[in-house]
Amino acid sequence: MSGRMGIVLKNVMKKKEVLYFMLPGLLLVILITFFPIIDSVQFSFYRTYYLELKEFIGLKNYAYFLNNPSSLRSINASLVYVLGTVILSLTLGFLLALVFNRNIRFRGVFRTIAIIPWIISQIVTALLFKWLLDPVYGPVAYYTSLVSDIQFSYLSNKYTAMLILILVNVWRSYPLAMVLILAALQTVPKELYESATIDGASGIKAFFHITLPLSQSTLLVTAILLTINTLNMVTLIYMLTGGSPFGFTEVLSLRLLKEAFHFWNLGMACTIGVIMFILNVLFGIIYIRILHRETIY
Amino acid sequence: MKHKHSSLLNFFTYLFILLVSAFVLAPLLWFLVTSLKPTADVLAFPPRLIPRSVTFEHYSTIIFGSNASTYFKNSLFVAVSTILLTLIIASHMGYAAARFKFIGKNYILFGLLATSMIPGIAILPVLYLLSMKLNLNDTHIVLILVYSAWQIPIVTWIMRAFFESINPELEEAARIDGCTRMQAFYRVILPLSQPGLAASSILVFIYVWYDWLVAQYLTISENMQLVNVGLYSYIRDTGVEWGKFTAYSILTIIPVIALFLILQTRFIEGLTAGGVKG
């Protein structure tokens, strides 16, 4: 920074001005995000009756939650849902980014189409597939019934419900991966590929030695963003399966919603909330670390 | 040999993007076709992919024969208010972060970013309780405050990056002309920040317009509900009426799709920045 800039900066470091610019925002965020986090942690140590705090019970809510087979099923469902979504979305997003990084015909049109699922709400996405897979009137059921002569209900089958849920979530999640990875690919200097071709390394070799290493941190950031989004997602799952069949798709976030607003079990809801915070913080720390490394100079 | 190889690659590339396009468009087209079919055809068996006739009856039922117009007005009001509040607050914070030096700045910035990763669902029960205690439950004010508080962190980061890209000499020149620091911000910098403000507005708009979770549990009355809460209750309370459900759904996504087609670049900027809180 130049010397003149230094003089201006000195002029503006008055406390009053900093407060004027920062205080309203900080107050709002503290009031609506920080305090509720503290409250949630506190409530998770209490027995509650509807919305009232009863007595302090320490870690009993946690012990109860973790010793419950249905909780383990929820944790398992979350894990499968997150892993499935992240792996498939990253793969699909990466492949599409590679395609759109080339000079193909109608690139603009195809790219616009590929982005569309991103701009459709979770509730409408759920309805789209619910109707497409409708066991009686949906085209998928009809055409599969021509082949197998049973009308199959994908969303009420133990084995296919989670698979469908993951595929639907991939449908709306891969564009984020595609856009982020495409942006990263476009910063890779073309000369690198040219000199690789001269050295006799093109195609698959160039991909593994140039493209992949240079987009590594973008891939990691994207994976974390997808993980956080998927882990915390409620609406899509609530609308598509609502946790059925038999709780097989009842992920942690959905279970939290049910504990809070169906069973009015505030203490348990906050307990699950704290478990989710911890998971988010773990992923968040990795994310912020990468960002910190890249943006702070 | 080489030529053959690359044309095979081309074939698979086009096959791949055609398959992806089909994966994207098939559910949407089936939905759109359903919304335009006469009721008798909606439940036709086997399913009719191409309707015999096109009708707008479902759309007119939703627009004139349901509460949808109230929900749309509510959503518009809440979205615009949230955009204004968020942009005003976050552009100030972003500016301070870009131009001022003060103690703890980095902690505040990364603290803000961390809050944008807090799962909304995890604090919603407590917010529900808080809104009851403050007598703000079932008002639009509580929705605007919650949405703003959850969007301010990410918009602050967007605006900070934007202000950092503006040459500081512009403010210096304004200061030499006798402006105070604040005047320079309001008169010189903010008007130059329209692209950043536009991307942020789109991000906030989609967030509010598409939210179901917060609005579902912080509002109760029929005349307070936002579009997606209205859509959900309509589906819950009406028998199986896919013609109407699809029409209603399409009405809720049309504003966003229109914005996307008009402002694609800004739109993608906004959405990418908001990738954290989908």
Side-chain angles (χ1 to χ4, degrees):
Chain A
M1 293 281 160
S2 69
R4 276 169 69 206
M5 186 58 202
I7 296 166
V8 175
L9 275 177
K10 247 182 229 161
N11 284 338
V12 301
M13 280 162 63
K14 288 182 213 149
K15 254 190 197 152
K16 255 192 199 166
E17 275 183 333
V18 172
L19 283 182
Y20 172 81
F21 278 91
M22 299 293 289
L23 202 59
L26 286 181
L27 280 180
L28 199 60
V29 172
I30 289 171
L31 199 74
I32 293 178
T33 309
F34 272 111
F35 284 172
I37 295 173
I38 296 168
D39 280 352
S40 297
V41 175
Q42 190 203 345
F43 291 0
S44 74
F45 298 129
Y46 280 82
R47 192 176 68 82
T48 53
Y49 182 73
Y50 284 86
L51 297 175
E52 276 170 54
L53 290 194
K54 292 297 183 189
E55 75 271 7
F56 182 83
I57 53 169
L59 291 171
K60 272 189 191 155
N61 279 332
Y62 292 88
Y64 179 80
F65 181 75
L66 293 174
N67 282 323
N68 195 332
S70 74
S71 318
L72 297 179
R73 200 182 49 204
S74 283
I75 294 172
N76 187 42
S78 275
L79 215 68
V80 172
Y81 185 51
V82 167
L83 273 179
T85 301
V86 172
I87 292 171
L88 291 176
S89 302
L90 267 188
T91 313
L92 188 56
F94 205 145
L95 286 173
L96 283 168
L98 287 173
V99 168
F100 292 128
N101 198 33
R102 292 174 52 202
N103 240 333
I104 58 160
R105 241 175 290 174
F106 308 114
R107 181 163 64 173
V109 179
F110 282 125
R111 214 188 50 166
T112 304
I113 292 174
I115 286 175
I116 286 175
W118 200 13
I119 60 169
I120 293 178
S121 58
Q122 290 184 36
I123 182 168
V124 173
T125 305
L127 292 173
L128 278 176
F129 284 91
K130 221 174 181 169
W131 180 221
L132 191 75
L133 299 172
D134 189 282
V136 182
Y137 303 108
V140 173
Y142 172 70
Y143 289 110
T144 50
S145 78
L146 291 184
V147 187
S148 71
D149 75 49
I150 37 162
Q151 289 203 333
F152 193 64
S153 177
Y154 296 92
L155 287 171
S156 35
N157 178 285
K158 194 165 108 173
Y159 300 104
T160 50
M162 180 53 91
L163 182 71
I164 297 289
L165 197 57
I166 291 173
L167 288 179
V168 173
N169 193 28
V170 168
W171 190 81
R172 68 180 303 281
S173 299
Y174 80 81
L176 173 70
M178 180 187 93
V179 167
L180 291 175
I181 297 168
L182 185 58
L185 291 183
Q186 282 167 348
T187 63
V188 178
K190 290 265 183 301
E191 295 79 36
L192 275 181
Y193 291 107
E194 280 160 24
S195 53
T197 315
I198 294 166
D199 293 345
S202 57
I204 294 172
K205 248 189 184 166
F207 173 79
F208 280 107
H209 288 102
I210 302 169
T211 315
L212 211 52
L214 284 176
S215 39
Q216 212 175 24
S217 68
T218 304
L219 286 179
L220 194 54
V221 165
T222 311
I224 292 168
L225 286 181
L226 289 171
T227 303
I228 293 174
N229 284 344
T230 307
L231 188 66
N232 300 339
M233 178 177 288
V234 181
T235 309
L236 183 79
I237 310 160
Y238 185 80
M239 298 295 168
L240 198 60
T241 68
S244 64
F246 319 113
F248 269 95
T249 60
E250 194 171 277
V251 295
L252 280 176
S253 50
L254 187 63
R255 200 180 155 89
L256 197 166
L257 179 90
K258 287 185 176 174
E259 291 287 352
F261 297 107
H262 295 191
F263 313 134
W264 297 103
N265 193 348
L266 191 62
M268 187 49 74
C270 289
T271 304
I272 303 171
V274 171
I275 293 172
M276 286 182 63
F277 286 146
I278 295 170
L279 293 174
N280 274 280
V281 166
L282 289 179
F283 292 118
I285 287 173
I286 309 172
Y287 175 72
I288 286 178
R289 276 242 170 117
I290 304 167
L291 226 58
H292 204 277
R293 206 170 57 205
E294 286 181 355
T295 56
I296 295 297
Y297 24 83
Chain B
M1 218 24 214
K2 182 135 212 251
H3 183 75
K4 216 174 189 175
H5 177 77
S6 76
S7 69
L8 196 69
L9 181 71
N10 265 336
F11 171 76
F12 281 112
T13 305
Y14 284 104
L15 185 69
F16 173 61
I17 45 177
L18 284 174
L19 283 176
V20 171
S21 302
F23 177 51
V24 169
L25 294 177
L28 285 167
L29 286 177
W30 172 237
F31 221 57
L32 187 67
V33 165
T34 304
S35 76
L36 295 169
K37 277 179 188 171
T39 309
D41 279 12
V42 170
L43 301 182
F45 193 87
R48 273 180 191 285
L49 299 184
I50 298 156
R52 274 181 303 189
S53 59
V54 167
T55 166
F56 287 93
E57 64 174 273
H58 303 303
Y59 289 93
S60 73
T61 313
I62 295 301
I63 295 170
F64 303 109
S66 79
N67 277 339
S69 60
T70 311
Y71 307 146
F72 275 79
K73 268 183 233 153
N74 288 343
S75 271
L76 194 65
F77 170 74
V78 172
V80 171
S81 312
T82 308
I83 290 172
L84 287 177
L85 186 63
T86 305
L87 288 191
I88 292 170
I89 289 180
S91 60
H92 282 81
M93 288 174 98
Y95 185 71
R99 291 288 200 262
F100 297 175
K101 282 184 182 167
F102 51 91
I103 304 159
K105 185 170 98 173
N106 271 336
Y107 288 105
I108 291 177
L109 274 178
F110 280 98
L112 278 176
L113 188 65
T115 70
S116 72
M117 288 176 199
I118 299 292
I121 175 68
I123 53 174
L124 193 62
V126 175
L127 283 175
Y128 175 81
L129 200 65
L130 192 72
S131 75
M132 298 289 257
K133 277 189 187 152
L134 296 174
N135 247 337
L136 283 173
N137 195 40
D138 204 21
T139 62
H140 285 153
I141 298 170
V142 72
L143 294 180
I144 294 165
L145 289 177
V146 170
Y147 291 143
S148 301
W150 287 1
Q151 290 297 303
I152 282 170
I154 201 71
V155 176
T156 299
W157 271 73
I158 299 175
M159 292 314 294
R160 166 182 170 252
F162 198 84
F163 294 134
E164 277 176 346
S165 73
I166 297 178
N167 190 343
E169 284 179 14
L170 282 172
E171 284 133 286
E172 271 180 75
R175 302 263 288 155
I176 289 162
D177 290 345
C179 279
T180 64
R181 187 83 214 189
M182 286 177 198
Q183 284 169 333
F185 171 62
Y186 293 123
R187 290 184 194 165
V188 181
I189 301 303
L190 264 189
L192 284 173
S193 314
Q194 276 167 14
L197 294 171
S200 309
S201 308
I202 290 172
L203 167 67
V204 178
F205 176 77
I206 298 184
Y207 181 70
V208 176
W209 193 264
Y210 277 176
D211 172 67
W212 167 79
L213 187 62
V214 178
Q216 173 73 31
Y217 294 102
L218 295 186
T219 56
I220 300 165
S221 328
E222 183 87 19
N223 60 355
M224 278 294 157
Q225 292 177 355
L226 305 192
V227 279
N228 284 316
V229 180
L231 172 61
Y232 173 65
S233 339
Y234 190 79
I235 289 170
R236 196 191 46 203
D237 301 339
T238 317
V240 183
E241 296 251 22
W242 278 98
K244 297 193 181 73
F245 299 166
T246 51
Y248 199 141
S249 302
I250 287 169
L251 288 173
T252 69
I253 59 176
I254 276 179
V256 177
I257 290 182
L259 265 180
F260 170 68
L261 294 176
I262 302 165
L263 304 163
Q264 235 188 76
T265 319
R266 283 283 169 271
F267 206 96
I268 295 174
E269 280 169 18
L271 271 180
T272 314
V276 182
K277 207 159 196 156

